Every structure is written in C-alpha cells, then in structure tokens.
Amino acid sequence: MNHIFLTHGFADGHYVLPPLPYDETALEPFIGAETLILHHDKHHASYVAGANAAADTLRAIACGNAPAELSSCAMQKLAFNLGGHVLHTLYWHSMTPRAEGAPHGLLAELMRASFGSYEAFCNLFTSVCEGVQGSGWGVLGVDPVSHKLLVLGISRHQDVLVPGLLPVLVCDVWEHAYYLTWRNNRKGYVAAFMQHINWPTVALMVEKALTV
Ligand code: MN3
C-alpha cells in the first residue's frame, strides 16, 4: 500500500505542515475562511509540532539522553499528534470546491461490494460522523485483509483504529472544524461535507492502495 498525500507531511527528517490544496475562501460558505485558516495554521500546525516533540523525546530516550520513564507518555503524545497530522493532511484532500456526483469505476464497484450501494455508504458514513461521541473523525478506509472498504468512527485522533487500515476519506467532526460556521449543528456540517467530497482523489487513493 502507498499513499500519495502523506509524503507531503514529512521533509528533512521532520513532520511538516503541508499547504492547503486550495485557497482559504474556496470552500465558502460550507467552511468559512476564518475556520479554515485557524484549523490549518493553528490546529494542524500544533499536531505537527506535537508529533515532532514526541518523536524527539523518544529519540533522546533511545540515545540515553532522556529518562526511560518518559517513554509511555511520549508514545501516547506521538499517537495523538501524529494521528492528528495524518488525518488533517488527508482531510484537506477529502474536500473540493468543485465536487462531482457519485464515484464511478473501481471505487463504485468496491462501494457496492462493501456496502451494497453508494446511497448505503452515504447513510452509513453520515450516521458514523454524526454518532462520534465528543471529538473524532468519520473515516472510509481500505481494509488490508479483505481489500474491501470499511467505515469507522475514530475517537480523538487515534482511538478505534484498525491496524493497517488505509484511510482514503476522512471527515473531521471535532467542533473546531465547524463551530464558527455551523455552531452546534454537526448534522448540517456533515450533510454539507457529503456534498464536497473529492471523489476523483478518493478513487486515486483507493487504486494506489490496491496496486502495490
Ligand atoms: Mn481538526
């Protein structure tokens, strides 16, 4: 399996903040510029910094330059922050200002094989996004065992994960993703997200995932 966008999030030995793939006003009125700028420049950036700090701590422990007792805490910080970095990198590419309709080709076939129909997938993904308790994510991924698609609701950035699952479409349902525009209306935000999915990009990621 391989991933076409995650390589944008690492350079010169460090995790880095990749640029947004569109202008900060591009998703208005679905997501306002203020939300997009804060979300990318502050929230995503803080996960990048946290992932680098945790990785540095673990490296220092490995070299005997930090006490081993710090390892448990550093691992938890790495899982949370690197999870956040990965998911946000994918989130920016999950959306487009110029959404086309339903997916077609291989992705449409996989969707029928995995969920029954595109409409059934939409119902499931929407209900999972709406149902995440507190902060988390709705995720569509390629299951490495069955090579079918799987929908999960992730808590925070790293809980309820299937090892090896390659995420190809993610919806951030932390309140910081939508609160300035949608207030407490997560249902409205998720419904609008479904209308802005970048299906050609999702299809490309699925094809890459299944052709190694
Ligand atoms: Mn977020």
Side-chain angles (χ1 to χ4, degrees):
M1 288 196 179
N2 96 43
H3 218 294
I4 51 177
F5 295 118
L6 295 184
T7 50
H8 299 179
F10 191 78
D12 300 327
H14 294 282
Y15 300 111
V16 296
L17 181 66
L20 284 170
Y22 31 68
D23 186 82
E24 60 261 19
T25 60
L27 296 174
E28 289 183 338
F30 159 47
I31 295 176
E34 188 181 10
T35 293
L36 207 54
I37 292 168
L38 279 171
H39 200 174
H40 177 265
D41 295 3
K42 301 297 181 186
H43 291 276
H44 188 170
S46 78
Y47 301 129
V48 172
N52 281 320
D56 286 346
T57 301
L58 289 167
R59 203 171 297 117
I61 294 167
C63 298
N65 296 326
E69 292 76 31
L70 294 180
S71 65
S72 176
C73 179
M75 282 188 295
Q76 288 181 39
K77 286 182 177 175
L78 183 68
F80 176 83
N81 286 288
L82 183 51
H85 180 30
V86 167
L87 288 168
H88 283 89
T89 301
L90 296 177
Y91 176 61
W92 312 128
H93 289 280
S94 293
M95 302 178 290
T96 173
R98 293 169 298 279
E100 298 169 17
H104 42 82
L106 173 67
L107 178 55
E109 285 172 34
L110 273 173
M111 214 159 252
R112 275 192 292 277
S114 305
F115 307 112
S117 66
Y118 169 66
E119 289 72 23
F121 156 76
C122 290
N123 289 338
L124 175 62
F125 193 81
T126 298
S127 65
V128 164
C129 289
E130 289 174 2
V132 169
Q133 290 186 318
S135 300
W137 296 77
V139 174
L140 171 70
V142 180
D143 169 17
V145 180
S146 66
H147 283 206
K148 285 190 178 180
L149 301 172
L150 209 64
V151 169
L152 291 178
I154 292 179
S155 294
R156 302 192 295 157
H157 297 140
Q158 78 281 29
D159 299 332
V160 194
L161 276 176
V162 172
L165 182 84
L166 191 80
V168 293
L169 168 70
V170 301
C171 179
D172 191 341
V173 294
W174 285 57
E175 285 187 345
H176 66 229
Y178 62 88
Y179 207 85
L180 291 178
T181 307
W182 295 91
R183 301 300 175 190
N184 60 331
N185 183 12
R186 184 193 287 188
K187 199 179 172 86
Y189 160 73
V190 171
F193 176 90
M194 299 303 290
Q195 301 302 315
H196 289 81
I197 294 175
N198 192 346
W199 285 120
T201 291
V202 176
L204 190 61
M205 283 193 271
V206 169
E207 280 168 32
K208 290 271 186 189
L210 294 177
T211 53
V212 175

